[in-house]
Every structure is written in C-alpha cells, then in structure tokens.
Amino acid sequence: MTPGSASRVAARVAGAVFVLWAVATITFFALRLIPGDPALAVLGGPGSQASPEALEQVRQQYGLDQPLAVQYAAMLGRLLSGDLGQSYALKVPVADLLGAQLPGTVLLALAALAVAWLLALALALVSTGAGRVAASLASSIELTSAALPHFWLATALIALFSTALGWFPPVSTGDLGGLVLPVLTLAVPLAGFLAAVMREGMLDALAQPFALSARARGESAIGVSLRHTIRHAAIPAVALSGWALGTLLSGAVVVETIFARPGLGRTLLQAVTARDVPVVTGVVLVVAVVYVLMTLLSDLVSALVDPRRQAVAA
Amino acid sequence: MPALPSRAARRALLPLAASAVLLLAACSAATGDATGTTGTAASGTPVSGGTLVYASGDAEPDCLDPHVGGNYPQALIAGQYLESLVSIDDNGRIIPWLADSWEMAEDGLTWEFTLRDDVRFSDGTPLTAADVKATVEHVQDPATGSSTGYLALGKVAGVEAVSDTVARFTMTAPDSALLESLSQPWLAIESAAGIARGLDENCQAPIGTGPFAVDGWVKQDHVALVRNDNYSSPPADAAHEGPAYLEAIDWRFLPDSASRYAALQAGQVQVIDNAQPDTLAAAASAGTFTEIDAPRPGASNRLELNSGQAPFDDALVREAFIRAVDVNDGIDSLFFGTAERSYSALSSVEPLGYSDESLFGTDLKKANALLDEAGWSEKDANGIRVKDGQRLSLAFPVSTNQSIPAEQSLFEQVQATAAEAGFEVVITPLDLSSWYGALFTNDYDVVSAPYTKVGPDVLRILYHSDSITPAPSGYFANLAQLSDPELDSLLAQAASSLDADERQTLYTAAQKRILGSFTVLPLYDQQNHFLLSPTLHGARAIGTVSTPSFYDAWLSE
C-alpha cells in the first residue's frame, strides 16, 4: 500500500466516524427537542394514566432527571464503549433487539436490490436498440414505477395477488412465499431508477466507436450489449446501489408495517412513536453504518467494473 | 330525561349480513336480546385442537404483565392467560370468577374474598390467598410502574391472607367501585412465585390461571400461547368446563388495517381486532365474516371543552360551540353505520349511564345568538368572531395514536361546522408524547381523550375538581377542568355509597350536572369491533373491559 492510499483510507475512516457521530447527535437532540416527557412515553400507552411515583421511578432508572448535556455525554460514552444501551420501552439491550431484527431487513433489502437489478437489466437490454417506440415506452415504464409510493404499491399488490388471485399471502409469516410481495414492493420503484440510468449508459456506449467496430467484426446486437455495453450500463447503477440500499432501508419502514414483517423498519417506527431514544439511535446508527459500508463497497466494485478507474487507483 | 336502558347486550355478536342495511337491522335485533349468550352460534359440536391465529392492530405491549403500566393492548392479550377475582356478565352484573364469594363488613372498611380451592396456575401450583396479597402488593409497589391498576386500588390499604382461601382487603374508606375495579385485567391475579422472579422475567411471561399460558414472545411478530391443561376456573357465564378446546393461539401484531383484513380474507388469520369502519362495511357486503361489536366500558368517546381558560371559561361560548357543531352527519358518513351517536358521558355498556339528547341538538341560530350575547358579536375578514381584539380561536390537539382515521376526519367536520358560527378550530395532529405535552401545558381548548374503566367511578377520575390539580408529572384527568363543588360532593358520595339505589341516584344527578355544564360533547362509545372467520365458533367478548375470550372457542374445517 502506498502512503497516498493509506492516507486516503484514513480520510475515509475519519469521514465515516464523523458521519456516525453526527447521526447520533442529531438523533439524540431531535428526539429531545420534541415537546413531551420521555418518561410518560415509557409508561403511557393509550388510556393508561401514569402515577407520579411511577414516573419518578422511570426518570431515575433512565437518568432522565439529569441535565440534557449530562445525558448526551453519557450516551456518547456508552456508544464509544460499544454499548447501544437499553430500550426504554422493551427493557432489553438495544444490541440484542437490533441483532434479532437485522437479518430480516437485510434479507428483504438485498433480495429487493437483486430483483431490482434483474428487472432493470432486463428492461434496459430489451429496450435499447429496439427502436424509438420501445425506448419511449421503456422510459415511461421507468418513470411510472420510480414514482410509485411504497404504501400504494403494497396495497395494490395485496389486492391483486392475495385477495383477488390468492397466489401469495398478504402478511409475512416467515416462509419464502411471504417474501414475494414485500420484495416486489421495494424492487419495482427502485428498478425504475436503475433502468433509467442503465439504459442511458448503454445508449452512450452503443454510440461509441468500439460498439460500431464490434458490430463491424460481425457481432450480433445482443452480443455487443452483453459483452461490451452492459459494463457501461452497470457503472452508474453500481454507484447508485449504495444510495439504493439506503432508500430500501427507509422503504422497509412502510413495507414491514404493511406486511407485518419483523425488522429494523418496524422497530424504528415503533421506537419513534414510543420516544424510545436508545432504540431510535441504535437503528439510525446501524443504517448509517450500512450506508457508509455500501458506499465504500460500490466504490470498490465500480473500480473493478471500470478499468479506467483501476488505472487511476494504481 | 330517562336513564339509559341497560344496554350491556350492545356487547353483541352480529352475523354480518349481505348489506349494510341488514347489518343495522341485525344490530338493533341484538340490542333487544339480553339473554346473555354472546357466543358464536354454536353450529355443531365443539372440536378440540387447532391453533387460532389472532391478528391485533393494537400496539404491541412492552410488557405482557398488565400490572406494569396498564393499557388496553395489554388487557386484550392478558385476558387469555390471566383471570380476575370477579367478572361481569352481559347484564353488567358482578359474577364469581377466582373468588367464589365475598363479603363486605357493614362499615365498608373490610372485604373478605373466598377463593375457589381447586384452581391451579399454569405452572401447576395452587392458587391461594397469598397470591392475591402478592398481586395487590405488586400493583401498589411504585417500582412496578402500575398506572391503571394503581389508581383503581386507591382506597385499598392492604391485603391479608387469613387462610389459604380467604383474602381480607382493608380499606381506607368505603369503595363502591371495588368489585368493578377488581374485575379489570389490570388487577388480574398472578402467581406470587411468578411475580418474585422480578419485573423483567415476569414481563416476558406472567404466570396466571387462565385457559392459555405464554409460551414465547418474538418481538414485533407474535406471542405464542398454549393451552393450560390444568385449567379449571371458567367464569360463571362460560359455556363449558375443563381446559379450552383450542390447542394454541398465535397472537400476531398486524399494524396495517387493510392487510389485517386481507389476511382474514386469505384465511391466514381467524380473528382481527380494531376493524375500521371501511373494513366493517366491506365485510358486511362480503357476508362471510361474523362481527363482535363490543364497546369499551367507562367513558364514551367525547370532546372535552377546557372550561379552565378563555374562551371556554364562558358557559355561553361552550353551549354555542356544542350547538354549532354537527356531529351526526359526520358519524353517519364516516363510520358507515358502525358507530351509534352517544349523548352520555358514559359508555352504553355502563348500566348507570345517563343520556340526554336534548342538550346536544345542532342549532346554528341559537349558537350565533349565544355568541352575540357573550360579546363575540364582531367578525373579522375571514368570518371568525372577534372580541376585544381576540379571535375566537380554539386549539384542538389530536392524538394520532388514539384517534382512528375516521375520527380524525370527523374532527375536520367539527372544525368546518364550528366555522359557520365563527369559531376558528385549529387541529394539530400529534404523536402521543407531544399530545400529552400539549395537555400539560394547557395548550388546548378542545380535546378527545378516551378512558376505559369498569363502572361509573370513571366520572370521579374525569370530572372531580381534584383531578384538575396536576400530578408532579403534569398529568391531570379532568381535561374539561370542570370545577363544581356540588358535583364533587355527589361523586364522592357515590364512590362510597354502599346502597345500590342511592348510588344510582347520585350518579344520575352527577351526570346531569356534567352534561348540563356544556363541557362535554359525547360522540359515540369507544369503538371495539372484531371480525371472525366463519371457521371460528364460540368466541365472545367478556363483560369486564370487552376483551375477547377464546376459552369456549373452537375451529371447524
């Protein structure tokens, strides 16, 4: 490793640590600035009346009677030692809670990303070089699906594939069939985005001299696409995938709620509603870590796919 | 005005007919039926076995022990594994449950409950008076963090286990609501050994005497309940004896209303709760499912007008608001006939509820005249009334956790109709914590706050002037800020009156004063609708806080 690349790595790591600190800080203060007593949130479900003794108990138990700066410092200290703290509402360590919920959401997000890639690639391959009508049709499909809100799509898919056709269960119960509709809900809008950038990349590549010379060597149009231009399509899509995983995690809030899937998104929603600061902070940190890692990963993959970047990096 | 007829039979089970019109017909038919059988028409002989899948739209409890905190989602599930000393039948009468009999001393300061001697907890240990003592002490211990149960035991000084089967309650003052309080799931009897395990473990799986026991809890997914084969303590109004028919209940949390109904249609689940008006209308036209309509006891859903500050410190302005808003059209169009307008501060299942429709008729002309009389005679450019440079503006914070979408739309109708008389109603949707915050800082003029409790003593909590004084937490229950010495005295007398007739007279007088103060605009009962698959038989809502019981329930193919 050259000294140059070492300092680049150090800068990346420092940047990542800064992002995590900023995320934790913003989450902490945002939740505290909303009016309302977190101790009441801990005790007060609809219709339940917290007694003063119970509230006092909760405040002491969670250090809510301390000044805000002290609470903030305590939280940072805990985070630095790798302790995500204890959930106010569920009274279990946040790390255990997230550990249990993470796999479900990761499976959902990765499956959605994979399906979105397949759908986008298929659409891009079929529509490029198939004429102007196909191109404009593809473009409107992309725009429409990219604009579909998750909650609407989820409800529509349930109405069609569960209630009307009976093919897939409307709520997830752990089997693979239950994964289909949630994955489609997340994949379709994302596929719209990905297909748009892929198609553009392919069209650019097809207009390059190398595509023409490949055709001149006698390669078929499909052959050119599969062997050469697909790389060009993949480069922007790979770069987008880090961002895409971030949107999938936020989409998980809606999808996990509608399909009643356990996972990080539903945990986050419940924790925000219950003003469960440690859990919200924990989920947001996990998402930030995933985001940072995915961005690094997509940079790496871009370099692999794109020989020009390898030359620069070396 | 006559008192409400006993409408405990409103906790009725409605076969969903092919149209909404028939639904209404069935509803009124069921209202007249007071035979007390609320079970699904037992078609055929009950079959043992099978797993019932229940889909709850309520928030997932943080703790499965309803002593901790004490809210309705906890009551819903705890009813499957915990039982109380007494229950309430469909006519609102107290009936024996874990206690065979009870006796109150003449001065009302001690009560002796004699327990059944053949009851075992799901872990096999026998139920004794020591468990009753442990339960009360657990609820009264501040470390438990009990709210609902704690308040209900306000007059209980302590419990002594006189023998294995006799528990003696010592009171600080006579309490006419003690039996009603003890029937609530927030005071259900838990095993002393279970409680001794500590809060965290007890939250995961409280040990009770119920027909089912907690077998596991996967957070945000489901609670697994299995049949308690030791079961021997059905309440006096159950349909059979011995263990439950169902082998297990898979209690799932499905927060989205549309997917809950889709899951019921797909046969993934056999019961859904929190069925919304649009779902009920769809189910009525499908004709496949059975509905349980079980309004919650305690207070009705109502708007409270904050009489503690301007402009509602003026009774004329309060009456003007109540005369101006048109609630009935909104309820008709937004609830599809699934909710009936209430004119009482109490739920229609409360036998002592008193109702007076004449106070709540919409009359825009009268509203305008009242506002003119109160000095709000000028209007600004937007048609909002003005007095001494102040606009007639009302803050209305709405809890999005507690008000269903149909109710939030109804509040917009209230806003629109009040505007016709020159009120500006500012609706602010808030999450639960911010909503509490708005109430504590007195930042409200209109508010809707549900309160579930068994019996008319809820009126003391909601309308006695003591409840205006905020606790150190800022919490106060008298959101109307009604301060009326005569009402206070009526409520205090009623709470300690040990004579049933006198109690009824006092509560009727108290309700007349409350409704006549124009601080309360009743809307409807706290809605509580369940939809059942046609394969499920024998399910019912029990008469305490209208939670479902699956003890008599069985599944057919």
Side-chain angles (χ1 to χ4, degrees), chain B residues 77-161:
Chain B
I77 187 166
Q80 315 312 319
Y81 47 81
L82 301 181
E83 297 180 313
S84 300
L85 288 178
V86 296
S87 186
I88 292 180
D89 71 10
D90 286 333
N91 297 313
R93 280 188 305 247
I94 303 280
I95 53 171
W97 201 349
L98 292 178
D100 242 346
S101 62
W102 48 90
E103 210 171 323
M104 179 188 65
E106 246 173 59
D107 58 6
L109 293 176
T110 50
W111 290 69
E112 283 193 357
F113 290 85
T114 305
L115 306 180
R116 295 177 52 152
D117 58 7
D118 58 344
V119 179
R120 287 178 179 277
F121 286 102
S122 56
D123 66 355
T125 57
L127 164 80
T128 68
D131 299 300
V132 177
K133 180 178 161 70
T135 292
V136 169
E137 284 172 356
H138 187 228
V139 171
Q140 291 192 325
D141 180 356
T144 305
S146 169
S147 308
T148 316
Y150 179 89
L151 279 179
L153 289 181
K155 290 183 185 170
V156 175
V159 177
E160 186 190 343

Side-chain angles (χ1 to χ4, degrees), chain A:
Chain A
M1 196 184 274
T2 63
S5 73
S7 72
R8 262 207 307 280
V9 168
R12 289 301 289 253
V13 169
V17 170
F18 174 78
V19 165
L20 295 182
W21 168 79
V23 159
T25 303
I26 292 171
T27 311
F28 179 85
F29 285 103
L31 283 165
R32 282 307 159 79
L33 286 177
I34 312 172
D37 183 346
L40 263 172
V42 173
L43 288 176
S48 108
Q49 317 298 339
S51 67
E53 291 86 354
L55 282 164
E56 207 37 57
Q57 176 79 20
V58 164
R59 287 204 186 98
Q60 279 176 12
Q61 196 177 343
Y62 293 105
L64 297 170
D65 47 357
Q66 307 283 326
L68 204 57
V70 175
Q71 293 183 45
Y72 173 67
M75 181 207 66
L76 280 189
R78 269 193 295 98
L79 290 183
L80 277 178
S81 65
D83 179 6
L84 289 174
Q86 178 104 357
S87 158
Y88 288 172
L90 299 168
K91 325 272 191 285
V92 292
V94 173
D96 293 0
L97 188 69
L98 300 191
Q101 303 299 345
L102 189 62
T105 304
V106 166
L107 175 67
L108 176 71
L110 289 181
L113 188 61
V115 170
W117 261 86
L118 287 177
L119 290 175
L121 261 181
L123 188 64
L125 278 175
V126 168
S127 67
T128 44
R132 196 170 290 191
V133 177
S136 68
L137 188 67
S139 160
S140 38
I141 291 176
E142 288 155 13
L143 270 176
T144 314
S145 43
L148 286 177
H150 289 135
F151 71 87
W152 184 88
L153 187 58
T155 315
L157 289 174
I158 288 177
L160 180 61
F161 290 111
S162 302
T163 310
L165 297 171
W167 290 358
F168 301 109
V171 297
S172 307
T173 44
D175 53 351
L176 266 175
L179 197 58
V180 174
L181 297 184
V183 164
L184 276 181
T185 304
L186 286 176
V188 167
L190 181 57
F193 277 108
L194 291 178
V197 296
M198 282 182 184
R199 209 159 48 83
E200 211 165 302
M202 286 177 82
L203 287 175
D204 284 352
L206 281 174
Q208 300 285 321
F210 73 82
L212 189 64
S213 63
R215 285 288 276 155
R217 285 200 306 271
E219 283 211 51
S220 65
I222 279 288
V224 173
S225 288
L226 287 177
R227 223 152 304 166
H228 302 283
T229 56
I230 206 169
R231 272 189 174 217
H232 292 259
I235 292 162
V238 165
L240 261 182
S241 290
W243 161 84
L245 209 73
T247 68
L248 287 176
L249 289 175
S250 65
V253 175
V254 174
V255 167
E256 287 172 355
T257 303
I258 293 182
F259 293 100
R261 274 183 68 84
L264 280 190
R266 211 168 147 195
T267 306
L268 180 62
L269 181 68
Q270 214 165 42
V272 168
T273 315
R275 212 56 80 77
D276 195 339
V277 181
V279 175
V280 176
T281 313
V283 175
V284 172
L285 279 177
V286 166
V287 173
V289 167
V290 169
Y291 205 87
V292 166
L293 287 179
M294 275 309 289
T295 315
L296 278 175
L297 196 66
S298 67
D299 281 1
L300 270 175
V301 176
S302 296
L304 285 179
V305 178
D306 188 348
R308 292 168 301 185
R309 301 236 348 231
Q310 277 165 353
V312 174

Side-chain angles (χ1 to χ4, degrees), chain B residues 290-542:
Chain B
T290 310
E291 181 195 350
I292 296 179
D293 175 10
R296 296 182 192 178
S300 60
N301 267 25
R302 70 235 169 273
L303 297 183
E304 311 267 23
L305 311 188
N306 181 356
S307 63
Q309 65 185 25
F312 278 152
D313 54 351
D314 185 341
L316 293 173
V317 181
R318 296 199 296 270
E319 186 180 354
F321 179 81
I322 282 172
R323 296 296 183 192
V325 300
D326 184 357
V327 178
N328 287 354
D329 286 350
I331 295 178
D332 285 349
S333 59
L334 295 164
F335 286 78
F336 306 107
T338 60
E340 198 179 324
R341 174 72 200 269
S342 163
Y343 299 101
S344 171
L346 289 179
S347 161
S348 70
V349 301
E350 290 297 345
L352 299 188
Y354 167 84
S355 180
D356 186 349
E357 186 174 345
S358 72
L359 292 171
F360 301 104
T362 306
D363 185 345
L364 189 58
K365 222 183 249 174
K366 185 161 184 194
N368 282 319
L370 286 163
L371 287 172
D372 289 340
E373 187 187 339
W376 294 91
S377 45
E378 285 167 39
K379 286 191 178 180
D380 70 6
N382 299 317
I384 305 302
R385 287 177 182 265
V386 183
K387 178 182 168 183
D388 304 333
Q390 293 285 315
R391 306 175 78 218
L392 188 49
S393 184
L394 304 170
F396 187 177
V398 173
S399 159
T400 52
N401 298 61
Q402 303 188 88
S403 287
I404 61 169
E407 185 166 274
Q408 293 179 39
S409 304
L410 178 67
F411 294 160
E412 284 164 16
Q413 302 258 339
V414 165
Q415 180 183 44
T417 48
E420 287 175 34
F423 285 98
E424 178 191 47
V425 180
V426 183
I427 294 179
T428 316
L430 295 170
D431 73 81
L432 193 62
S433 218
S434 312
W435 180 78
Y436 273 124
L439 301 190
F440 300 165
T441 52
N442 232 330
D443 211 357
Y444 72 97
D445 298 298
V446 186
V447 72
S448 160
Y451 204 111
T452 302
K453 185 187 194 302
V454 173
D457 188 44
V458 71
L459 296 171
R460 184 180 53 81
I461 293 174
L462 294 178
Y463 299 110
H464 192 287
S465 64
D466 282 356
S467 302
I468 301 177
T469 314
S473 65
Y475 180 75
F476 58 99
N478 186 344
L479 296 171
Q481 306 204 10
L482 190 51
S483 180
D484 174 356
E486 193 172 332
L487 174 62
D488 287 355
S489 140
L490 286 169
L491 289 171
Q493 284 177 59
S496 54
S497 164
L498 302 171
D499 176 86
D501 290 337
E502 186 191 51
R503 190 178 183 228
Q504 168 147 19
T505 311
L506 289 165
Y507 274 126
T508 303
Q511 289 175 78
K512 281 183 180 170
R513 286 199 78 80
I514 293 167
L515 297 181
S517 73
F518 292 110
T519 55
V520 181
L521 176 60
L523 301 174
Y524 32 68
D525 287 337
Q526 286 189 68
Q527 298 297 299
N528 196 32
H529 299 264
F530 303 83
L531 284 174
L532 277 54
S533 144
T535 58
L536 178 65
H537 312 271
R540 65 178 185 131
I542 59 170

